Amino acid sequence: MSEHDDRHVEKSGKHAEERGRARDAQRDEGPSGGGLRRELPQEVTGAAAGPDATPAPEAPSEAGPGRQPQATATPGLTGRQRLVQGLWPPRLSRAQLIVALLLFGLGFGLAVQVASNSDSDSALRGARQEDLVRILDELDDRTQRLEDEKQGLEKQRDELENSSDQAEEARKQTVEKERQLGILAGTVAAQGPGITMTIQDTKGTVEADMLLDAVQELRAAGAEAIQVNGVRVVAGTYLSDSGKGVSVDGNKINAPYRFLVIGKPQDLEPALNIPGGVVQTLEKEQATVTIERSTEVVVDALRAAKRPDYARSSSR
């Protein structure tokens, strides 16, 4: 064999080797022709499948009775869109709706309670420390007075239950009750500890409603008998303006106005001196108020007992 034939055989071998490599490369690339495509996972979407594509059979549901099937993600949506689709519109069960309504009602009730407490506390926020201490002392005194009254009633009950002669004990209590009612009605005189309040009105600015406020404040503080310039104040007492003075139950009185009050002095005086109370109101009208405590105050002005025209006792 010549040198020319050897070269021809060598070239033919090289061409055959190159054709073999080309065939191997085509098999690796696959029918699509992309080497990288072979390494990617196969994707099948609804858009690529086309209208004639047969839908894949659904996996059998594992949801048994009473269980809700799991929602499948819609093909072609991003993760954010699937999240929004799962959250809205909200799907509330009946139990969740009832719990939400109960929580709303509870929150509303708490808000109303807090608002009411804030309104009741706002009246004392502007008061001074001395005024707050005085108000607390007054509340303590009223509590003690009610406790004493309770103990007195309990004592009366025990005496009625344990007395050997209940009829005699009942008669004594009836007499005592009559005396107490006579003091309240103004038909008998009374004496005891209390205060004397004098109102000097040189400008003539004190009116009947101011004196009425003083009477009501004294009653609220536990006053048992009140007398104003010789006129006994009872439950049906009325006050009205009369010229430069004041009329009490039709009896005209002039300044200075002198109140004789029987009651616990530690309760009566602070009640008149509370912030915005009787004393401050009168002083704004340029009137002078003086209050004196006393261990013995005599209220001797009397009122005639009036027989009712229509009311009759219902006891038999």
Side-chain angles (χ1 to χ4, degrees):
M1 182 179 297
S2 64
E3 183 180 353
H4 177 73
D5 293 335
D6 293 337
R7 294 178 180 175
H8 180 72
V9 171
E10 185 179 354
K11 290 181 180 180
S12 298
K14 291 182 179 180
H15 288 311
E17 185 180 354
E18 292 178 357
R19 285 195 299 270
R21 292 179 179 176
R23 284 194 300 269
D24 294 337
Q26 290 179 358
R27 285 196 303 270
D28 294 338
E29 293 174 356
S32 60
L36 296 177
R37 184 66 177 177
R38 178 174 174 271
E39 299 177 0
L40 295 176
Q42 185 178 1
E43 297 179 0
V44 179
T45 61
D52 298 336
T54 303
E58 296 181 354
S61 175
E62 297 179 357
R67 297 176 57 186
Q68 297 180 354
Q70 297 181 351
T72 58
T74 304
L77 297 179
T78 63
R80 180 176 298 178
Q81 292 174 343
R82 287 196 298 271
L83 177 60
V84 173
Q85 186 180 15
L87 294 177
W88 189 263
R91 299 177 180 84
L92 296 177
S93 64
R94 183 178 181 180
Q96 291 174 339
L97 182 60
I98 293 175
V99 171
L101 292 176
L102 291 177
L103 291 176
F104 174 77
L106 178 62
F108 181 77
L110 291 175
V112 172
Q113 183 67 24
V114 171
S116 62
N117 292 337
S118 299
D119 294 339
S120 61
D121 295 340
S122 60
L124 299 176
R125 290 178 180 174
R128 297 176 302 176
Q129 183 177 2
E130 296 81 0
D131 298 333
L132 294 175
V133 172
R134 187 183 299 111
I135 292 173
L136 289 176
D137 293 339
E138 180 182 355
L139 292 176
D140 293 339
D141 293 338
R142 290 184 180 181
T143 302
Q144 185 62 38
R145 184 173 67 252
L146 293 175
E147 185 65 25
D148 295 341
E149 183 178 355
K150 175 186 174 182
Q151 293 179 358
L153 294 175
E154 290 178 349
K155 183 179 180 181
Q156 292 181 6
R157 182 196 62 187
D158 295 339
E159 290 176 352
L160 287 174
E161 292 177 351
N162 301 326
S163 176
S164 58
D165 190 358
Q166 295 184 0
E168 180 65 20
E169 186 65 25
R171 188 190 66 81
K172 291 180 180 179
Q173 291 189 10
T174 301
V175 173
E176 180 65 18
K177 183 65 67 175
E178 181 181 2
R179 186 184 66 83
Q180 294 176 0
L181 293 177
I183 293 175
L184 296 177
T187 57
V188 296
Q191 63 181 8
I195 63 171
T196 300
M197 180 175 66
T198 305
I199 302 175
Q200 297 287 348
D201 182 24
T202 58
K203 303 293 183 179
T205 56
V206 177
E207 298 177 352
D209 58 346
M210 301 177 186
L211 299 183
L212 179 60
D213 290 340
V215 172
Q216 293 178 344
E217 193 65 42
L218 289 170
R219 284 175 174 172
E224 298 176 352
I226 303 175
Q227 176 178 322
V228 183
N229 286 28
V231 180
R232 187 71 169 266
V233 176
V234 295
T237 296
Y238 65 91
L239 290 87
S240 61
D241 294 323
S242 177
K244 294 184 178 181
V246 176
S247 177
V248 181
D249 290 340
N251 301 307
K252 185 177 180 180
I253 60 176
N254 297 317
Y257 305 107
R258 189 165 180 262
F259 284 72
L260 297 178
V261 186
I262 295 177
K264 189 175 182 180
Q266 292 82 359
D267 294 338
L268 299 176
E269 184 178 1
L272 298 173
N273 288 316
I274 62 175
V278 175
V279 174
Q280 288 189 1
T281 301
L282 292 172
E283 289 177 349
K284 288 181 180 179
E285 299 297 333
Q286 297 181 357
T288 304
V289 182
T290 57
I291 300 176
E292 297 178 3
R293 297 186 183 185
S294 177
T295 57
E296 191 70 19
V297 176
V298 178
V299 176
D300 53 2
L302 303 180
R303 299 289 293 267
K306 183 179 179 181
R307 182 180 181 87
D309 296 330
Y310 304 99
R312 296 292 183 270
S313 175
S314 61
S315 62
R316 294 181 181 179

